[in-house]
Amino acid sequence: MAELASLVQRLEVAVGRLEGMSGPGGSAGGDSAGGPVSAYVEAFDEIVNGPLAQYLSLSQKIGGDVQKHAEMMKQGFASQRKLLIQASSSQKPSDAVLTTLLQPVSKAIQQVQAFREQNRTSPLFNHLSAVSESVPALGWIALAPKPCPYVKEMQDAAMFYTNRVLKDFKEKDKAHVDWVKAYVSIWTELQNYIKKHHTTGLTWSKTGPIASASSGPPSAPAGGCPPPPPPGPPPPPMDLSTSGGGGDGGADSRNALFAALNQGADITKGLKHIGHDQMTHKNPNLRTQGAPVRTGPKPFASPVSKPAASAAPARTLPPVFELEGKKWKVENQEGVEGLVISDTELKQVVYAYKCNKSTLQVKGKLNSIILDNCKKMGLVFEDVVGIVEVINCKDVKIQVMGKVPTISINKTDGCHVYLSKDSVSCEIVSAKSSEMNILVPNADGEFSEHAVPEQFKTIWDGKKLVTTATEIAG
């Protein structure tokens, strides 16, 4: 019986290949072993041979860390192409098998993100960050029914850093400007590709064998092996692996789509739009479920510090993402790069507390937004009628897409604010803060950066104290 079952499986694979050869687009092209590829694989190859190839060429021209990073991206697209070939000639498998099939893409994403974290001192860090912030777009293959908007969100997530690359190199080296255009066009073309061929999710064949992890497609022609990954499992984005690269930190994933892919890893959160069925205020039964608990030491923790105090495990609070009355509570988010609040009202406020290495997008118009005790946090919002407050934060980036009358920065070290053309008249109020920069859009759409004064001179003019901003001498 076992031999008979094996024979049946082999026959199914052979029939699937024959059907693929006689199907639409089957004779137009082939994989590296000479077999036919479907029309949508050919369309994907147009991206690989077009904007991706241009990005790779310009990355090679720039060299250094950018070139190394590009090789990893190349491998990610090669892994995705393999899966597309298999999906074009196979029926969709069970979730367990699909998990295994998605692992190569997931690992490629994590390797790209890990390289950025391991090279924070790189002179080309903005390039690495732009790629690292947007590479989860390759995870569209696991999304349904709206993979295209997800890719657009990831493309937008890179905007902070692509703008900085343009600002730094516009007058210095045109290759870097072309590099940005080529890289951004990859995701633009991928969105067009998904709209045409995979509107509601990855399209699997309706005939042929059911896909299995042991009968994958031939190797893709997009060769080139990336540099070897760090020891141990690849670290997730914006966090150092507990076993890789000598760093310490948690193992949260950037993308919840890959939560099932990295078996054995402590992946509890990721990139996704929070739907009504996942909001605890709309589903009280969810509040009784156990919250995920992060393991391992905190990021950037010193290996030798206060041994007596560290004897007991540190208390880890569960993440919160819910609407409580008129307040959106976003708390204790760790390494989550795609939080989105879209169902907003004018009277609502957003309160983000103790979020680390995460990004939050707020759509619509609401009353106010507060970032409190956040680190390495990114905030993008449309319209606020009251105030945006940044309190006790470190290394945060804020982008205004619409209007805001006032932005208050208090007890914060490192704050970059990107204004829109409609918000350039807003008031920036700061106190006890350092490393503040306001980026104002120019007529050509790029930004000019202006530092907020940190040092002041006060004199008595005979009637009152007069305080003026001064520049640090030397």
Side-chain angles (χ1 to χ4, degrees):
M1 290 298 293
E3 292 178 358
L4 180 60
S6 176
L7 179 60
V8 170
Q9 172 125 15
R10 290 168 60 191
L11 284 171
E12 287 177 344
V13 173
V15 170
R17 288 177 178 170
L18 288 171
E19 288 175 343
M21 292 175 66
S22 61
S27 60
D31 55 33
S32 61
V37 297
S38 74
Y40 74 58
V41 175
E42 291 180 348
F44 186 78
D45 285 344
E46 292 179 7
I47 299 176
V48 173
N49 298 325
L52 180 66
Q54 187 178 8
Y55 154 74
L56 294 172
S57 176
L58 289 165
S59 296
Q60 185 176 16
K61 182 177 180 180
I62 294 172
D65 292 334
V66 169
Q67 182 179 2
K68 295 176 184 177
H69 219 202
E71 287 299 316
M72 298 177 191
M73 284 292 289
K74 181 179 179 181
Q75 183 61 33
F77 274 85
S79 297
Q80 183 148 113
R81 186 182 188 276
K82 285 184 178 182
L83 181 58
L84 290 173
I85 293 174
Q86 189 163 11
S88 68
S89 59
S90 306
Q91 297 184 56
K92 186 176 181 180
S94 64
D95 290 344
V97 173
L98 182 58
T99 289
T100 303
L101 295 177
L102 292 172
Q103 279 184 348
V105 176
S106 174
K107 290 178 180 178
I109 291 173
Q110 292 191 14
Q111 187 180 18
V112 167
Q113 295 167 335
F115 185 82
R116 178 264 195 116
E117 289 308 304
Q118 294 160 1
N119 291 276
R120 284 189 160 270
T121 59
S122 171
L124 300 172
F125 182 69
N126 286 327
H127 298 67
L128 305 185
S129 296
V131 176
S132 180
E133 291 293 312
S134 51
V135 66
L138 289 175
W140 71 267
I141 53 176
L143 258 181
K146 296 181 179 181
C148 193
Y150 172 76
V151 176
K152 179 64 167 65
E153 287 183 12
M154 295 304 99
Q155 182 183 30
D156 292 344
M159 192 188 308
F160 274 126
Y161 297 101
T162 54
N163 284 336
R164 294 191 70 84
V165 173
L166 292 173
K167 174 183 176 295
D168 292 342
F169 290 94
K170 181 182 179 182
E171 306 297 335
K172 298 179 182 178
D173 191 339
K174 187 175 182 294
H176 294 263
V177 177
D178 293 339
W179 180 90
V180 168
K181 293 178 180 178
Y183 181 72
V184 172
S185 69
I186 293 173
W187 305 125
T188 301
E189 291 303 315
L190 184 60
Q191 291 171 62
N192 295 334
Y193 167 78
I194 294 171
K195 288 177 184 177
K196 185 174 181 180
H197 299 282
H198 309 275
T199 309
T200 58
L202 177 59
T203 302
W204 292 83
S205 173
K206 295 181 180 179
T207 59
I210 297 175
S212 66
S214 60
S215 59
S219 299
C225 296
M238 295 299 290
D239 208 347
L240 302 179
S241 170
T242 55
S243 59
D248 59 347
D252 289 299
S253 171
R254 174 188 288 255
N255 193 341
L257 302 174
F258 296 102
L261 304 187
N262 307 293
Q263 298 177 3
D266 180 25
I267 298 175
T268 59
K269 303 177 291 295
L271 283 169
K272 63 177 180 178
H273 181 88
I274 305 299
H276 291 300
D277 59 334
Q278 297 168 298
M279 296 180 182
T280 54
H281 71 287
K282 292 182 179 289
N283 298 275
N285 60 304
L286 295 178
R287 300 174 188 171
T288 61
Q289 300 176 5
V293 179
R294 288 174 53 83
T295 60
K298 293 183 179 179
F300 310 109
S302 172
V304 181
S305 61
K306 300 181 180 179
S310 61
R315 181 186 177 191
T316 303
L317 297 176
V320 176
F321 192 104
E322 65 178 5
L323 177 63
E324 187 178 89
K326 295 295 182 182
K327 178 190 286 187
W328 282 97
K329 297 172 66 176
V330 185
E331 301 177 359
N332 309 312
Q333 300 289 340
E334 186 75 28
V336 185
E337 297 285 336
L339 295 166
V340 179
I341 297 176
S342 57
D343 188 13
T344 57
E345 298 176 3
L346 189 59
K347 295 182 179 180
Q348 292 177 348
V349 301
V350 172
Y351 180 68
Y353 177 70
K354 283 194 174 180
C355 295
N356 186 34
K357 300 178 182 177
S358 301
T359 60
L360 171 65
Q361 182 180 7
V362 182
K363 299 181 178 180
K365 181 182 292 187
L366 70 165
N367 185 273
S368 61
I369 301 175
I370 300 174
L371 298 185
D372 186 2
N373 273 281
C374 295
K375 296 180 180 180
K376 301 184 184 299
M377 179 76 174
L379 168 67
V380 181
F381 67 92
E382 293 181 2
D383 294 294
V384 169
V385 298
I387 187 172
V388 173
E389 295 185 72
V390 183
I391 307 169
N392 292 316
C393 293
K394 186 173 183 179
D395 192 12
V396 296
K397 293 180 173 65
I398 299 172
Q399 182 154 16
V400 188
M401 305 303 293
K403 295 182 179 180
V404 59
T406 307
I407 297 177
S408 174
I409 307 171
N410 288 283
K411 298 180 181 178
T412 293
D413 296 320
C415 182
H416 288 70
V417 179
Y418 290 77
L419 297 177
S420 67
K421 63 179 181 180
D422 295 326
S423 61
V424 291
S425 60
C426 81
E427 295 182 349
I428 309 293
V429 182
S430 61
K432 298 182 180 180
S433 299
S434 64
E435 299 176 29
M436 298 170 288
N437 293 281
I438 310 301
L439 292 98
V440 181
N442 301 322
D444 58 2
E446 297 183 19
F447 290 84
S448 58
E449 187 172 6
H450 305 273
V452 176
E454 301 173 18
Q455 183 171 319
F456 303 89
K457 178 178 67 176
T458 301
I459 61 172
W460 175 256
D461 69 351
K463 295 181 180 180
K464 62 183 182 300
L465 293 174
V466 178
T467 302
T468 56
T470 63
E471 303 216 355
I472 298 176

